[in-house]
Amino acid sequence: MKRRNLLASAAMGLLLASGASFAQGMDKVKACFVYVGPIGDGGWTYQHHQGALDVQKTFGDKVEIQYQESVPEGADAERVLTQMALGGCNIIFTTSFGYMDATNAVAAKFPDVKFEHATGFKRDSDNVSTYNARFYEGRAVQGHIAGKMTKSNKIGYIASFPIPEVIMGINSYYLHAKKANPAVELSVVWAFTWFDPAKEADAAKALIDQGVDVIAAHTDSTAPLAEAAKTEGVIGFGQASDMAAYADGPRVSSIIDNWGPYYVKRVGALLDGTYAQADAWEGIAGGEVLIGDITDKVPADVKAEAEALRDSIAAGTYHPFTGPINKQDGSPWLAEGATAPDGDLLGMNFYVEGIVGDIPQ
Amino acid sequence: MDFGGINPVILIATLMASAVPILMAALGEAVVERAGVLNLGVEGMMIIGALGGFIVAVETGSPVLGFVGGAVAGALLSLIFALLTQVFLANQVATGLALTLFGLGVSSLGGQGYNGIKPPSTTQLLPDALADLPVVGPILFGHDWMVYFSILMTAVLWWVLKSTRIGLIIRAVGESHEAAHALGYKVNRIRLMCIAFGGAMAGMGGAYVSLARVPQWVDGITAGAGWIALAIVVFASWKPWRVLIGAYLFGGITVLQLNLQVAGSAIPVEYLSMAPYLITILVLVIMSAGRKANGAPAALGQNFHASR
């Protein structure tokens, strides 16, 4: 009996101590990152890792960084997360949509550890926050360039998985390409992978073989650009990272995910005790989405239009999803002048009118 | 000549190139397994070959030397496997799996600093005049030399395994190492050479991914091709020409399903995505069904020590 009391009061004490330490901020934070690919992928995971390095640079020895690469989405993720939580991580960033259930399951077991899930929407317990970037804003700029630049009037999109994030990107890309060039046709290829350079290259090749001359990718590697480089006249965009190595070849612009500011803000909040659950969704305006340099391959007037589009999105005067927009089946979605509510975007499971093909369910 | 928006000539030409990595790795593994060794480290050897080939090609500026470098890198890694299983008699399955994990890790480490660099390009072997011929041009003459080399290797291995003394010795070692030993053959030495050959082939296959197929270095670039190669060896009943059919089927349907998606096919994408795996296995199983003696080499996976 006595011992049980002792244990209980010890546990109580620990809880109180940790609760108090959160309120007052912390002296040292261990920030942990779970990556879906290798940090050398040159795209998605690379950019998250750059964000992690920014945190380290900003806070120096007040922060300890730990990360694990190429963690499969699913049961393995839960194991990795549990290990990190047990290993003294104070805040854990899970950087892929597929970690959603694992993040929430583990978070429920470790109420003192903060969890931050990228691109997700589930926040089952108080210690889970979600964060995302408005990539569709960047897709709008890409779409405009694509519509203006295509000579065959066929543009392509290498899609990864049929989740709202990707569908949003496809719709935004198509809408703005169509606006720039009414004759444009979009082909979507589902690769069902985030990272498989050979398959991404094959997908790009299939698009090129079918006459597509502008390729956007929603997968993580630079392989589609490398494939595009083999055929004269085909252009593409850097995805997630700038991919500037292809700037003298097919890459005419890029969408850059810039996670550093958000990571620094969140870890900083944990250090000074102002941390609170959040649902962050910043875009070009917040600096989370950057548009990479538009190269000289793009004519000056198109470049100016694209930059004006970017600036109007950043200033908040233009929303990429502004009505009238119909769904693929012709039913109305947004009325004239209406902009898409965030809820619609985050649950997006339909193509807009004009896109051919079905979304895999 | 289009079927549903897909040009079969371009399709065939594309699949021949996209099947090369799997074909090379699977041919090498077929020889290794014929000698009675089960090396599950194909994926590891491929990725080491991809990195080794990439580094050599970038540093020397010669893609051909790059492929040689890939072969050497793959062979060196396979020698670790050979040392552990043939000298120290470690369990082959466990060692092979460890080799894959080791290869993936080492390549990730060694590849630091090689991201985003473009290797010298591997160009078409024959002059444009031939490659531009209608139909036969793209299929027969429009490839880089590795495509021809992989087909040549299929023919050579078929001939060596079937009709030469070396092939007979390799098969003897794989079927009954005791008997081969009694005849005076150095079982472990022969196996070691087969393992190194398999490593070199896997390394070249990997180098084809990083030098020609993708061409660049990124971590984890082979993305599981080694496992497909392993499966194809088994389903192809350890026969070189069937390995070629398996690799082409797999590569072909992978390319076809992507093309079908682009062409707006009515078949749901999920079915298209699983088609390469399903059809390859089905065809190879049907091919090997109903015939006798399609079994694995009798001594596959067993270590040998000349103490008895």
Side-chain angles (χ1 to χ4, degrees):
Chain A
M1 234 13 213
K2 212 170 180 186
R3 197 201 280 165
R4 187 178 294 169
N5 280 338
L6 188 70
L7 278 176
S9 51
M12 204 61 160
L14 264 176
L15 262 175
L16 282 174
S18 61
S21 74
F22 271 125
Q24 294 163 4
M26 303 171 76
D27 295 333
K28 190 167 167 39
V29 164
K30 187 170 179 187
C32 302
F33 296 83
V34 184
Y35 299 139
V36 71
I39 57 174
D41 68 353
W44 176 262
T45 297
Y46 173 80
Q47 288 301 123
H48 279 287
H49 190 59
Q50 292 304 308
L53 295 178
D54 282 354
V55 171
Q56 183 81 76
K57 216 181 295 166
T58 312
F59 298 110
D61 54 7
K62 282 167 85 179
V63 171
E64 186 189 344
I65 302 284
Q66 188 194 329
Y67 62 87
Q68 188 157 349
E69 302 169 70
S70 301
V71 176
E73 298 175 336
D76 269 355
E78 210 163 315
R79 188 174 51 75
V80 169
L81 284 169
T82 307
Q83 237 162 34
M84 282 185 163
L86 288 172
C89 294
N90 303 111
I91 182 165
I92 302 176
F93 294 92
T94 56
T95 64
S96 182
F97 180 80
Y99 297 143
M100 182 155 64
D101 292 332
T103 304
N104 280 287
V106 177
K109 289 183 218 152
F110 295 93
D112 289 345
V113 180
K114 306 297 180 197
F115 289 82
E116 297 261 351
H117 178 225
T119 70
F121 52 81
K122 264 195 205 165
R123 290 173 297 280
D124 288 349
S125 38
D126 292 343
N127 55 335
V128 181
S129 295
T130 52
Y131 62 103
N132 200 353
R134 295 178 185 269
F135 301 118
Y136 67 87
E137 297 183 348
R139 293 287 174 200
V141 179
Q142 274 187 357
H144 183 82
I145 299 174
K148 288 283 183 191
M149 292 293 287
T150 179
K151 294 190 180 65
S152 63
N153 289 335
K154 284 184 180 172
I155 59 174
Y157 199 104
I158 302 172
S160 44
F161 290 97
I163 58 174
E165 153 86 33
V166 176
I167 295 166
M168 218 185 305
I170 296 170
N171 283 335
S172 176
Y173 180 68
Y174 176 75
L175 282 172
H176 293 84
K178 186 88 177 169
K179 206 174 277 178
N181 176 359
V184 88
E185 284 173 33
L186 175 69
S187 298
V188 180
V189 178
W190 294 94
F192 282 101
T193 178
W194 287 114
F195 181 81
D196 180 347
K199 193 165 187 189
E200 293 169 43
D202 282 343
K205 180 108 176 64
L207 286 167
I208 294 167
D209 286 349
Q210 304 265 334
V212 167
D213 64 354
V214 184
I215 295 175
H218 212 125
T219 47
D220 296 350
S221 88
T222 48
L225 282 175
E227 185 65 42
K230 290 181 194 164
T231 313
E232 189 63 31
V234 176
I235 59 167
F237 303 94
Q239 157 66 0
S241 184
D242 195 28
M243 304 188 178
Y246 292 90
D248 57 347
R251 173 208 162 282
V252 293
S253 182
S254 59
I255 296 179
I256 306 170
D257 311 354
N258 187 25
W259 302 105
Y262 181 76
Y263 288 163
V264 169
K265 188 170 85 187
R266 297 302 276 173
V267 173
L270 203 55
L271 279 167
D272 63 24
T274 56
Y275 187 92
Q277 186 181 28
D279 171 20
W281 204 18
E282 301 283 340
I284 293 179
E288 276 194 11
V289 177
L290 305 176
I291 303 294
D293 228 17
I294 300 173
T295 60
D296 293 341
K297 269 202 173 172
V298 180
D301 57 327
V302 177
K303 181 177 175 178
E305 285 165 21
E307 284 172 349
L309 181 62
R310 176 194 70 193
D311 295 341
S312 66
I313 293 172
T317 51
Y318 175 71
H319 190 293
F321 290 105
T322 303
I325 300 174
N326 290 344
K327 296 184 183 181
Q328 190 183 29
D329 57 14
S331 60
W333 173 40
L334 293 175
E336 176 85 42
T339 57
D342 283 356
D344 274 20
L345 293 177
L346 289 170
M348 193 174 249
N349 58 358
F350 57 87
Y351 282 149
V352 293
E353 192 170 35
I355 299 181
V356 183
D358 296 317
I359 300 172
Q361 295 301 329
Chain B
M1 218 173 66
D2 272 15
F3 298 104
I6 294 165
N7 184 337
V9 173
I10 295 177
L11 187 73
I12 293 170
T14 310
L15 81 86
M16 289 174 77
S18 74
V20 167
I22 297 174
L23 175 59
M24 292 293 286
L27 283 174
E29 180 67 11
V31 171
V32 175
E33 293 192 12
R34 274 296 185 87
V37 179
L38 182 63
N39 184 356
L40 295 179
V42 179
E43 175 78 4
M45 300 185 299
M46 278 184 87
I47 197 151
I48 279 290
L51 177 68
F54 190 84
I55 292 178
V56 171
V58 166
E59 300 299 338
T60 63
S62 157
V64 177
L65 279 181
F67 284 107
V68 175
V72 171
L76 282 178
L77 188 69
S78 72
L79 284 179
I80 298 177
F81 175 86
L83 177 76
L84 290 172
T85 58
Q86 302 308 305
V87 178
F88 298 122
L89 304 182
N91 179 296
Q92 293 180 5
V93 172
T95 312
L97 292 173
L99 195 71
T100 290
L101 298 176
F102 178 68
L104 290 171
V106 167
S107 70
S108 176
L109 177 71
Q112 301 287 335
Y114 284 93
N115 292 318
I117 298 176
K118 276 183 274 182
S121 62
T122 306
T123 46
Q124 176 182 320
L125 184 69
L126 300 165
D128 277 347
L130 279 172
D132 288 344
L133 291 173
V135 185
V136 293
I139 295 177
L140 293 182
F141 305 120
H143 298 291
D144 53 61
W145 66 274
M146 272 295 286
V147 175
Y148 303 112
F149 183 71
S150 64
I151 298 169
L152 181 74
M153 284 309 285
T154 313
V156 167
L157 287 181
W158 165 76
W159 177 71
V160 166
L161 284 173
K162 183 173 178 287
S163 327
T164 67
R165 187 174 176 78
I166 301 172
L168 193 63
I169 295 170
I170 291 175
R171 283 187 289 149
V173 166
E175 292 297 337
S176 168
H177 45 216
E178 308 276 343
H181 177 66
L183 287 171
Y185 294 118
K186 309 266 186 233
V187 172
N188 285 350
R189 194 178 298 170
I190 291 160
R191 285 185 171 169
L192 186 138
M193 286 190 281
C194 287
I195 292 169
F197 174 78
M201 290 289 280
M204 281 185 90
Y208 191 77
V209 179
S210 65
L211 290 178
R213 196 74 207 94
V214 172
Q216 59 177 334
W217 170 254
V218 276
D219 273 9
I221 191 170
T222 49
W227 300 111
I228 308 282
L230 270 171
I232 283 178
V233 171
V234 176
F235 288 116
S237 333
W238 296 268
K239 293 188 167 68
W241 287 114
R242 290 196 194 178
V243 168
L244 179 106
I245 293 173
Y248 276 16
L249 255 178
F250 185 82
I253 298 166
T254 305
V255 175
L256 178 67
Q257 70 100 349
L258 292 167
N259 271 291
L260 280 172
Q261 283 196 41
V262 179
S265 143
I267 308 168
V269 176
E270 296 87 339
Y271 295 110
L272 291 175
S273 288
M274 72 181 176
Y277 306 91
L278 208 61
I279 296 178
T280 307
I281 291 174
L282 266 180
V283 169
L284 291 172
V285 165
I286 291 168
M287 273 172 54
S288 53
R291 299 187 198 188
K292 62 179 174 62
N294 273 321
L300 184 60
Q302 297 168 17
N303 283 333
F304 176 76
H305 189 261
S307 57
R308 284 180 287 168

